[in-house]
Amino acid sequence: THTPHYHCCGSGGAELNPGSAPRDVMRKNMTRVFDEHLASDPSVVYIGEDVEHGGYYLVTEGLRQKYPLRVIDFPPDETSLIGAAMGFAHCGLTPIVEIPYAKYLDCGADMFYEAAIMNWLSNGKQPNGMLVR
């Protein structure tokens, strides 16, 4: 059998053989990436429902213990989550907002639009950088 090799642009052209690394479930890979960002950038905060206990899909499992002041539980209110993320962004932080179910994205849509409009109306002086997961 032929195992394809992929060239990874981000690592100086090093080859990556997808068959040689152990496979892991997506949530563990996501946890690793969030852990790397929280470790490398003290301005990153992770907010969402039940994230202190791993979240609905255990994506934040173990992160509260490593970053007790930057992994924060919020009530189940998507509008408040996006609003809090705007406040964090205005203070110079980089929020990661966990909204566990796509069907609730519309609940926070108005506040999300406010974040985009505020950046535009302020001519970029009030950026609202955030990651919504």
Side-chain angles (χ1 to χ4, degrees), residues 22-81:
R23 296 191 62 153
D24 221 339
V25 293
M26 177 62 81
R27 75 170 177 84
K28 289 185 179 182
N29 289 317
M30 293 171 72
T31 303
R32 181 183 49 77
V33 168
F34 292 135
D35 185 21
E36 289 173 2
H37 283 287
L38 285 160
S40 67
D41 186 351
S43 74
V44 174
V45 293
Y46 198 111
I47 62 174
E49 301 168 27
D50 204 34
V51 296
E52 289 181 6
H53 306 286
Y56 288 102
Y57 301 106
L58 300 177
V59 171
T60 58
E61 186 175 41
L63 295 180
R64 171 68 178 183
Q65 290 75 23
K66 290 178 85 171
Y67 313 100
L69 299 176
R70 297 190 292 139
V71 177
I72 308 163
D73 270 346
F74 267 73
D77 179 7
E78 285 71 17
T79 302
S80 295
L81 277 168

